[in-house]
Amino acid sequence: MQGRSKKAGLSRALAGAVVFLLLFPPGAAVGAAVAPGAGGAAGLQEVRLVLNGKPSPSLLGVWQGEEVLLPALALAELTGRGLLYEPGSDRLSFLGGEGEGRLTVNLAAGRMEDDRGRVWAERAPVVREGMGILVPAVPVLRWLNWMVAVDKEHRVVAVAQPGREFNLITAVEVRSDQEKAAVLIQGTSPVECEVTEDRPGRRLVVRLPRSYVGALPDFRDDGRSPLVDGVSFQQVGDEGRINIELKGAFFGFRVRGEPSLRRLVVELPLYVEERLATTVVPGLVYRRIKRLSVAGPIIADILEADLREPGLTLKPVLAREGFSGTETVSSLARRYGAIAGVNGGYFHYTGDTLGAVIIDGEMLSEPIRNRTVFALTEEGTPLILNLNFCGRVTVAGRELPLHGINRWRGKDELILYTPAFGSSTRTNSAGREYVVEEGRVSAVVEGGNAPIPRGGFVLSAHGAARDALAGVRPGDVVAVDPATEPDWRALGIRQAVGGGPRLLQQGEVHITAEEEEFRPDVAVGRAPRTGIGLTPEGKVIFAVVSGRRPGISVGMTLAELAWLLRDLGAVEAMNLDGGGSTALVIRDRVFNLPSDGRERAVSNAILFFAQP
């Protein structure tokens, strides 16, 4: 049946129409008319027709109980079938194609039966009105293997040809309880959808493919839901769209299908929020946000910095002015004379930094695994970007890859050690090290732990890298290029600290934990978090979320941190080190609630400075 051409179907429809009109010429009465009703003459009412998910011209029909009666001729034309009336037996037949037979309606008894003896309706209501006969539409369409759904409340009949799926959305309801708000979407078939955001945290758009929502009226909140402000509907071709307007920002949503009920549920965590704000110094605003969410209470401490304010700057710093240990953020802030500070990037338990650190235009630790980096340019413009390390070393005319800066040396690696690392390389005896001063090799040290000259650096080689440097002697010229892709120097980056994963990109939630190879202890679950966001105006937002404090603050997932930063106006955002390292200090006071019960020492931090 699906293989017939549209032309052939049209021919059958026209043939049926000719037969019908020959049997019922204009002006001829066909039986007794029904009594007038609320819908107009003979109780006729407008029936909105949806064909294959798209609105079609309306028909006049009659509603009898749960059944809708449509003109037999209209059904024949719609489905491309012939129609035959037999006055002697008072029968009306819909003619199928080859091998399909016919469906015959006994107009007196209302019985519908095909030529194989199968009964499709035992006592179906039939209405004779003016020039036509109105018969129940559902049995006829189902006999032809068409999909059909009826929404009596909104007077809509949706039909689809064999093999064409569709869904008639018959109801949308908003419910709220103490834990969440939920939008229930009821259809005539199991509902599928794609949910996207339109405007950060203020509007959800539910896109329903091959669905019709045009029958539903828009509605506003009646005061019972603390989160949903209203719902509106759009029909775009064969796609139905449900717009859920929200009263305030939220932490995300969950879509739950209930196929057996032909229903879809969009759940939104319900929370109560309190915000307190104060200006620390001009250009630096502190906020505390308290939220009661589904997961429990959450406390987030926020610093918003407008670096366009004269005298307000920020930069990363290393603990103990090097890589030899750790220090608390409050200690770092006191030592550097900062007005405020937050913890920075990741580090090894030894205190060695893991990831990019650039301070005052010098790369002190290389980016790793193309992870996300927060940076400031020479002009003070904040950036969030990914940097891939591709450093090179040229020694006596030979170019070799540089694998890292100021970190432990791995197998077959060539590592650069600068004075920022400490007084010596602290490496084992399995390598060979080249002390460089004034651009030339000043000494070759077999083994490890070579002294680092204050005005120079050391190249430490192991395995394949050591073999590649065989023959290098004191006096040989050395050049080191700590390059990245994109080129951090071409971008004018002056300060930077690495972290990750990314949380927001161009205003959309975009979490790159898998791409940046983060383990589950960072990527999964609820924890204390520190994040950075950038607004379109160039402001920098630091969000420090306390966690692992049951009944006080349960922390956030990465997705929730992303939503929070979006709520605060960020369009680009990234994660920093978290857990017990999470810290926010203002004027020598720790404002967050450390999960260890006390402030943890870290290897680096980001500090804020205010010049009078």
Side-chain angles (χ1 to χ4, degrees):
M1 184 164 57
Q2 290 175 253
R4 293 191 194 87
S5 69
K6 184 176 180 181
K7 182 177 179 181
L10 212 56
S11 299
R12 282 194 303 275
L14 291 174
V18 170
V19 170
F20 191 87
L21 290 174
L22 285 173
L23 293 171
F24 302 104
V30 185
V34 297
L44 293 175
Q45 295 176 316
E46 182 184 35
V47 177
R48 281 184 279 180
L49 184 68
V50 179
L51 175 61
N52 297 327
K54 296 181 180 180
S56 291
S58 298
L59 302 172
L60 288 178
V62 174
W63 295 94
Q64 294 276 3
E66 296 302 315
E67 182 60 86
V68 58
L69 280 60
L70 296 178
L73 183 57
L75 285 172
E77 290 177 338
L78 175 68
T79 58
R81 298 302 190 272
L83 191 65
L84 177 64
Y85 177 61
E86 304 170 63
S89 59
D90 202 20
R91 294 173 183 270
L92 183 69
S93 297
F94 290 87
L95 307 178
E98 183 179 350
E100 293 178 344
R102 66 173 65 186
L103 177 69
T104 299
V105 184
N106 184 320
L107 298 178
R111 182 182 177 88
M112 290 187 176
E113 186 176 1
D114 62 25
D115 52 2
R116 298 176 184 176
R118 182 179 177 185
V119 177
W120 291 83
E122 188 65 48
R123 283 183 289 275
V126 175
V127 170
R128 306 172 192 254
E129 167 60 25
M131 290 172 48
I133 297 175
L134 288 79
V135 298
V138 174
V140 175
L141 291 164
R142 287 181 176 165
W143 170 70
L144 292 167
N145 291 321
W146 282 53
M147 293 182 65
V148 57
V150 176
D151 182 355
K152 180 181 177 182
E153 180 183 354
H154 302 105
R155 299 179 186 173
V156 174
V157 173
V159 297
Q161 294 168 300
R164 296 287 296 272
E165 296 180 0
F166 78 98
N167 205 339
L168 176 59
I169 305 303
T170 57
V172 173
E173 180 184 357
V174 177
R175 295 181 184 175
S176 296
D177 58 29
Q178 293 182 344
E179 293 188 345
K180 61 184 177 299
V183 179
L184 283 66
I185 303 170
Q186 187 71 54
T188 55
S189 301
V191 183
E192 297 179 358
C193 76
E194 176 189 353
V195 182
T196 58
E197 271 204 296
D198 186 17
R199 171 76 178 91
R202 293 294 189 270
R203 189 186 200 196
L204 288 178
V205 179
V206 183
R207 299 175 183 270
L208 304 163
R210 301 175 303 281
S211 296
Y212 183 72
V213 299
L216 301 176
D218 299 351
F219 63 88
R220 306 298 296 175
D221 171 50
D222 58 6
R224 288 180 295 181
S225 173
L227 188 56
V228 178
D229 191 39
V231 178
S232 61
F233 303 91
Q234 289 177 285
Q235 190 66 38
V236 181
D238 63 354
E239 179 184 86
R241 296 181 185 176
I242 302 175
N243 304 308
I244 305 172
E245 306 291 342
L246 303 170
K247 293 179 179 177
F250 60 99
F251 283 160
F253 55 87
R254 184 168 74 98
V255 179
R256 175 167 53 85
E258 299 179 346
S260 61
L261 299 176
R262 301 187 299 278
R263 188 168 70 182
L264 188 79
V265 181
V266 180
E267 293 181 345
L268 303 115
L270 182 64
Y271 62 79
V272 178
E273 179 174 289
E274 174 188 353
R275 295 193 182 196
L276 302 172
T278 185
T279 299
V280 181
V281 293
L284 185 64
V285 175
Y286 165 76
R287 291 185 178 88
R288 167 161 281 193
I289 298 176
K290 294 182 179 180
R291 287 180 171 176
L292 180 59
S293 73
V294 177
I298 294 173
I299 297 176
D301 294 288
I302 311 298
L303 279 176
E304 181 181 289
D306 187 349
L307 300 180
R308 297 169 297 183
E309 181 70 30
L312 183 64
T313 59
L314 63 84
K315 66 180 290 186
V317 296
L318 294 173
R320 305 192 184 279
E321 301 182 2
F323 290 82
S324 58
T326 57
E327 192 174 352
T328 64
V329 175
S330 57
S331 171
L332 284 164
R334 281 193 302 271
R335 190 155 59 80
Y336 280 94
I339 190 69
V342 300
N343 65 289
Y346 301 98
F347 59 96
H348 194 261
Y349 73 90
T350 61
D352 293 349
T353 295
L354 300 175
V357 173
I358 299 172
I359 297 178
D360 296 334
E362 180 184 1
M363 182 177 287
L364 302 178
S365 179
E366 86 280 6
I368 61 172
R369 300 173 188 172
N370 198 30
R371 286 180 174 173
T372 313
V373 173
F374 168 69
L376 287 174
T377 67
E378 189 77 42
E379 295 76 23
T381 302
L383 302 172
I384 288 178
L385 73 166
N386 292 82
L387 291 178
N388 186 42
F389 187 63
C390 49
R392 309 293 292 177
V393 174
T394 303
V395 183
R398 286 175 289 173
E399 188 176 82
L400 299 172
L402 177 65
H403 298 101
I405 302 174
N406 291 329
R407 64 166 173 82
W408 59 272
R409 185 195 63 212
K411 180 182 179 182
D412 297 325
E413 284 191 327
L414 179 61
I415 304 297
L416 169 69
Y417 292 95
T418 72
F421 189 75
S423 60
S424 68
T425 62
R426 307 198 305 271
T427 53
N428 59 34
S429 60
R432 180 186 298 122
E433 300 188 328
Y434 302 85
V435 181
V436 179
E437 297 178 86
E438 297 180 353
R440 293 181 179 273
V441 176
S442 62
V444 178
V445 179
E446 293 293 338
N449 201 28
I452 303 174
R454 295 194 62 80
F457 55 86
V458 172
L459 289 172
S460 181
H462 175 272
R466 172 178 172 162
D467 295 342
L469 289 174
V472 173
R473 299 288 182 266
D476 287 345
V477 175
V478 178
V480 175
D481 179 14
T484 62
E485 177 59 43
D487 189 342
W488 64 280
R489 290 162 300 193
L491 292 170
I493 291 175
R494 181 75 175 168
Q495 320 287 347
V497 61
R502 181 182 286 270
L503 301 175
L504 297 175
Q505 188 170 41
Q506 297 180 353
E508 300 294 330
V509 174
H510 182 63
I511 299 173
T512 57
E514 183 175 348
E515 297 93 319
E516 297 185 28
E517 301 180 22
F518 279 99
R519 297 180 304 183
D521 61 333
V522 172
V524 179
R526 189 174 298 281
R529 304 282 184 183
T530 301
I532 302 177
L534 307 182
T535 72
E537 301 78 26
K539 293 182 180 179
V540 186
I541 300 171
F542 292 82
V544 175
V545 182
S546 298
R548 298 174 186 158
R549 303 290 294 266
I552 301 173
S553 186
V554 296
M556 283 186 173
T557 65
L558 287 177
E560 289 172 348
L561 181 60
W563 290 113
L564 173 63
L565 288 163
R566 278 194 65 173
D567 177 24
L568 295 170
V571 291
E572 303 288 333
M574 63 176 286
N575 186 53
L576 288 173
D577 192 12
S581 299
T582 292
L584 183 146
V585 173
I586 301 176
R587 291 196 175 100
D588 207 29
R589 175 188 167 190
V590 179
F591 272 66
N592 67 303
L593 305 173
S595 61
D596 295 345
R598 58 186 175 84
E599 193 181 0
R600 180 184 292 181
V602 296
S603 74
N604 59 88
I606 300 173
L607 301 183
F608 300 81
F609 300 89
Q611 301 298 326

